[in-house]
Amino acid sequence: MTGKFVKVLRREFLIILKRPVYILSSVGVLIVNAVFYTTFMKDGLPHDLPIGVVDLDNSSTSRMFARELDATQLGKTVWYDDIHLAREHMETGKITSYIVIPEGFNSDVQSFRQPHIGYYVNSLYFVGGALAYKDILTMVNLTNGAVQREVMRLKGMNEREIMGKIQPIVLDQHQIGNPAVNYGVYLNGVLLPGILEMIVILITIYAVGSELKYGTSKHLLKTAGDSMVTALVGKLVPYNIIFTVLGITLEMLLFQWLKYPVKGSIFWMFLDILLLVSASEAMGLFIVELFPVLRLAISVGAIISVLGFSLAGFSLPVEAMPPYVQGFSAIFPLRHYYLFHVQETIWGSGFAGWWKEAVHLLLFLFLPFTLIGRLGHAYKYQDYERN
């Protein structure tokens, strides 16, 4: 049995060397994505987001408001004389949003009336629009507080009384796990392993399904001594080694070289990525067993991989989703990788915090055994369409 296993291993390594698609679609794709996302988010939060200002009042108060908005880290003001032009530029993506300061703004402020500021945001650009909205809302609140402070000063109130009325409750905010509010830390820690998961699932499906497509499955079975377990394990071990090395390198890039915060041990994150790779391979193998037609299996694998990003919980909490969706999220390996990741990098809870997620990822390894006979039948008789 050991000799047959070694022959299958040798056969698969030769296939990988003869077909550059395996290296390009695994190592190449992951490197390109890692370079793109880590450099794209190297500054943490986006800054200098273009925010249009239509100043219809043209007073010292309105100009001061716009200058203070421009002085913030997130915003960079772009002046417009025409509302229609500002709207057109927002719709075409030249600015993220625009604000309209109405005529009479200064007189309303001086007379203690309530001025109305119009703010328009393009929510199609979610991150830019949300951050621009946060920036402008902060400036409006600060301006409102400044006006109230001057009024109270004129009434003879001291600074302590004034601040007690303007800000009766002071928030003492602590950003756990990501104090710099770095979007790279927030997204790349799960996004890049998610891309690796997608690569693993699709490459596994292609490697196993191509034996049917090209009619070489009988040769694989003969090499493995007619044992499907030997054939599949021997075929997938080389990919497991390659993907695990890629995953560990990725974790080193994030937590060692880029210094992303990790409260626990980076070695436990190596275990997390190993479990993710193994579970993703099992998922890919199960898909090709369920649909032993390469083009159909690739399509299903792509859908499953993309859904994994949405249901992992790092962009929208799973707890905020409908109950039936919350249960559905458990069938995706990336969801359990993310929970493991949170427990180790943010809380540093160690084995006691993530052992359940490790068990969940290990359970995926039993999934292919449920339909291995179906794939074995297809391999032996090649009675499934190849195109």
Side-chain angles (χ1 to χ4, degrees):
M1 184 63 68
T2 303
K4 301 292 184 180
F5 178 75
V6 172
K7 287 182 180 179
V8 175
L9 278 179
R10 187 184 300 114
R11 176 182 182 273
E12 197 59 33
F13 275 117
L14 289 175
I15 291 176
I16 294 174
L17 293 175
K18 290 179 180 179
R19 297 180 184 174
V21 64
Y22 290 107
I23 302 299
L24 291 176
S25 57
S26 55
V27 180
V29 171
L30 190 62
I31 289 176
V32 169
N33 279 276
V35 171
F36 174 78
Y37 284 108
T38 54
T39 55
F40 179 69
M41 299 181 182
K42 65 178 180 179
D43 295 326
L45 277 175
H47 57 84
D48 291 340
L49 297 172
I51 300 175
V53 175
V54 183
D55 188 359
L56 301 179
D57 189 52
N58 198 26
S59 62
S60 59
T61 304
S62 63
R63 289 193 297 270
M64 180 184 68
F65 176 82
R67 285 195 300 270
E68 290 177 349
L69 180 62
D70 185 67
T72 61
Q73 179 184 3
L74 291 177
K76 180 180 181 181
T77 56
V78 181
W79 293 85
Y80 291 94
D81 296 323
D82 183 12
I83 295 178
H84 300 289
L85 181 60
R87 183 178 182 86
E88 179 184 339
H89 281 190
M90 183 186 72
E91 291 174 347
T92 55
K94 294 181 180 179
I95 58 176
T96 59
S97 53
Y98 69 93
I99 183 173
V100 179
I101 302 176
E103 188 176 353
F105 174 77
N106 182 61
S107 61
D108 286 343
V109 170
Q110 297 297 331
S111 302
F112 311 126
R113 293 190 297 267
Q114 187 179 41
H116 295 274
I117 297 178
Y119 180 63
Y120 304 86
V121 59
N122 188 349
S123 295
L124 179 64
Y125 304 100
F126 179 75
V127 174
L131 291 176
Y133 175 75
K134 177 183 177 182
D135 201 32
I136 194 67
L137 185 61
T138 301
M139 288 310 305
V140 168
N141 289 330
L142 290 175
T143 302
N144 177 56
V147 171
Q148 291 185 45
R149 184 178 61 184
E150 293 303 319
V151 172
M152 293 177 187
R153 280 176 178 172
L154 293 174
K155 291 181 179 180
M157 299 176 65
N158 59 47
E159 290 297 323
R160 184 174 181 179
E161 291 175 323
I162 291 173
M163 293 309 298
K165 289 184 176 293
I166 293 176
Q167 192 179 20
I169 300 175
V170 178
L171 295 178
D172 186 13
Q173 184 175 352
H174 299 272
Q175 304 281 357
I176 298 176
N178 188 8
V181 197
N182 186 325
Y183 265 51
V185 173
Y186 173 65
L187 291 176
N188 290 339
V190 182
L191 182 63
L192 291 177
I195 293 173
L196 176 62
E197 179 207 38
M198 179 184 293
I199 293 171
V200 173
I201 290 176
L202 295 179
I203 290 293
T204 300
I205 291 174
Y206 182 79
V208 177
S210 63
E211 298 285 353
L212 288 171
K213 179 178 176 62
Y214 298 113
T216 56
S217 58
K218 290 183 178 180
H219 179 265
L220 173 59
L221 278 176
K222 183 179 179 181
T223 306
D226 290 327
S227 170
M228 275 299 294
V229 174
T230 303
L232 292 177
V233 173
K235 188 171 184 64
L236 294 181
V237 162
Y239 300 101
N240 189 277
I241 295 172
I242 293 172
F243 293 136
T244 301
V245 171
L246 285 175
I248 291 175
T249 305
L250 184 62
E251 300 288 351
M252 289 287 292
L253 170 67
L254 296 177
F255 301 113
Q256 192 70 30
W257 301 323
L258 296 180
K259 304 299 181 182
Y260 283 11
V262 51
K263 189 173 182 181
S265 171
I266 190 175
F267 294 103
W268 288 130
M269 293 307 301
F270 293 163
L271 173 63
D272 194 14
I273 204 73
L274 170 62
L275 293 175
L276 176 67
V277 167
S278 301
S280 300
E281 275 192 322
M283 176 68 77
L285 181 55
F286 177 76
I287 291 172
V288 79
E289 288 175 346
L290 191 61
F291 305 101
V293 179
L294 184 59
R295 55 181 170 79
L296 181 57
I298 287 286
S299 300
V300 173
I303 294 172
I304 293 294
S305 302
V306 172
L307 282 175
F309 286 98
S310 302
L311 298 177
F314 72 100
S315 57
L316 176 68
V318 170
E319 292 76 13
M321 300 178 186
Y324 60 89
V325 177
Q326 295 181 29
F328 186 58
S329 68
I331 69 172
F332 298 94
L334 189 61
R335 169 62 178 167
H336 303 290
Y337 171 88
Y338 169 65
L339 295 176
F340 189 127
H341 168 88
V342 168
Q343 289 293 331
E344 190 61 27
T345 60
I346 297 178
W347 304 115
S349 56
F351 182 80
W354 47 253
W355 71 269
K356 291 182 181 179
E357 307 312 322
V359 170
H360 290 154
L361 287 170
L362 287 172
L363 288 176
F364 281 95
L365 303 184
F366 295 95
L367 198 59
F369 291 99
T370 59
L371 293 177
I372 193 172
R374 176 179 171 84
L375 184 63
H377 185 278
Y379 263 39
K380 184 176 181 180
Y381 298 103
Q382 296 181 355
D383 53 353
Y384 289 86
E385 57 181 295
R386 301 180 183 181
N387 298 319

